[in-house]
């Protein structure tokens, strides 16, 4: 299966982000997006709750030159954050939404790392599944979650083939300022 167009359109950012740490493909399903990154030589972690999906991804990963790690994890396990802080150079999430995980994603991405996120909006029930509002973004919600970050690409609306209502974002987590930069900024006021 081909990678999502959002990754193809912004491959250069994915490659740069991968220099800061591994690529984490959250709720990866068959892993086609993460396997694309691995095929390009990135170190990739495929994370999903489904053992069978990960087994299929493992089979598909045979012969790929990049390092692929499988991680069976329940991303919805309550207040426990399953993601390590500032550990990933790229995080990608496609067709998955669990709102309590958003702050975890923000903490898990390394400074200067890249986030690719695409999922369905509240308009999606007109076109099919999912229909549960818990799994659908409200208008402007995705962009609002990452408004402090450098947004490279944002889209919210209807896409064709197949027809679906989605929101997309590609953004870069801000670099942390050094104590020296904070001192100079405070001193120059």
């Amino acid at each position: 299966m081909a990678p999502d167009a959002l990754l193809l359109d912004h491959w250069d950012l994915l490659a740069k982000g991968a220099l800061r740490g591994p690529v984490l493909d959250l709720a990866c399903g068959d892993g086609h997006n993460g396997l694309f990154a691995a095929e390009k030589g990135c170190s990739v972690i495929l994370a999903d709750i489904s053992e069978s999906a990960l087994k299929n991804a493992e089979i598909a990963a045979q012969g790929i030159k990049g390092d692929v790690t499988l991680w069976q994890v329940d991303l919805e396990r309550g207040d426990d954050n399953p993601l390590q802080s500032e550990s990933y150079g790229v995080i990608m999430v496609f067709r998955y939404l669990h709102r309590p995980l958003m702050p975890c994603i923000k903490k898990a991405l390394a400074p200067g790392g890249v986030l690719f996120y695409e999922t369905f909006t509240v308009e999606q029930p007109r076109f099919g599944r999912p229909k549960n509002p818990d799994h659908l973004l409200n208008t402007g919600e995705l962009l609002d979650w990452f408004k402090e970050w450098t947004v490279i690409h944002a889209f919210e609306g209807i896409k064709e083939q197949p027809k679906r209502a989605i929101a997309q974002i590609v953004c870069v987590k801000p670099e942390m300022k050094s104590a020296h930069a904070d001192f100079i900024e405070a001193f120059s006021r």
Side-chain angles (χ1 to χ4, degrees), residues 137-149:
L137 288 166
N138 295 310
T139 303
E141 183 178 2
L142 186 59
L143 189 55
D144 193 49
W145 274 107
F146 299 97
K147 64 185 171 207
E148 314 87 31
W149 293 18

Side-chain angles (χ1 to χ4, degrees), residues 143-180:
L143 189 55
D144 193 49
W145 274 107
F146 299 97
K147 64 185 171 207
E148 314 87 31
W149 293 18
T150 303
V151 176
I152 307 300
H153 167 82
F155 172 83
E156 188 168 316
I158 309 302
K159 290 277 188 174
E160 302 291 331
Q161 297 180 330
K163 198 161 200 169
R164 65 210 186 277
I166 61 165
Q168 301 175 323
I169 196 167
V170 177
C171 55
V172 178
K173 184 175 182 176
E175 297 279 352
M176 296 185 61
K177 285 194 221 177
S178 69
H180 179 72

Side-chain angles (χ1 to χ4, degrees), residues 98-113:
H98 180 61
R99 287 177 178 87
L101 195 60
M102 288 297 201
C104 303
I105 290 170
K106 291 176 83 170
K107 289 177 188 172
L109 197 61

Side-chain angles (χ1 to χ4, degrees), residues 57-74:
E58 183 177 36
I59 292 166
Q62 292 176 1
I64 288 180
K65 66 179 177 179
D67 179 38
V68 177
T69 302
L70 304 176
W71 181 26
Q72 186 175 6
V73 60
D74 181 356

Side-chain angles (χ1 to χ4, degrees), residues 14 17-18 21-25 34 37 42-46 88-92:
L14 192 148
V23 174
L24 177 61
D25 189 353
C42 299
S43 177
V44 176
I45 300 167
L46 300 177
Y88 310 100
V90 175
I91 296 178
M92 55 178 75

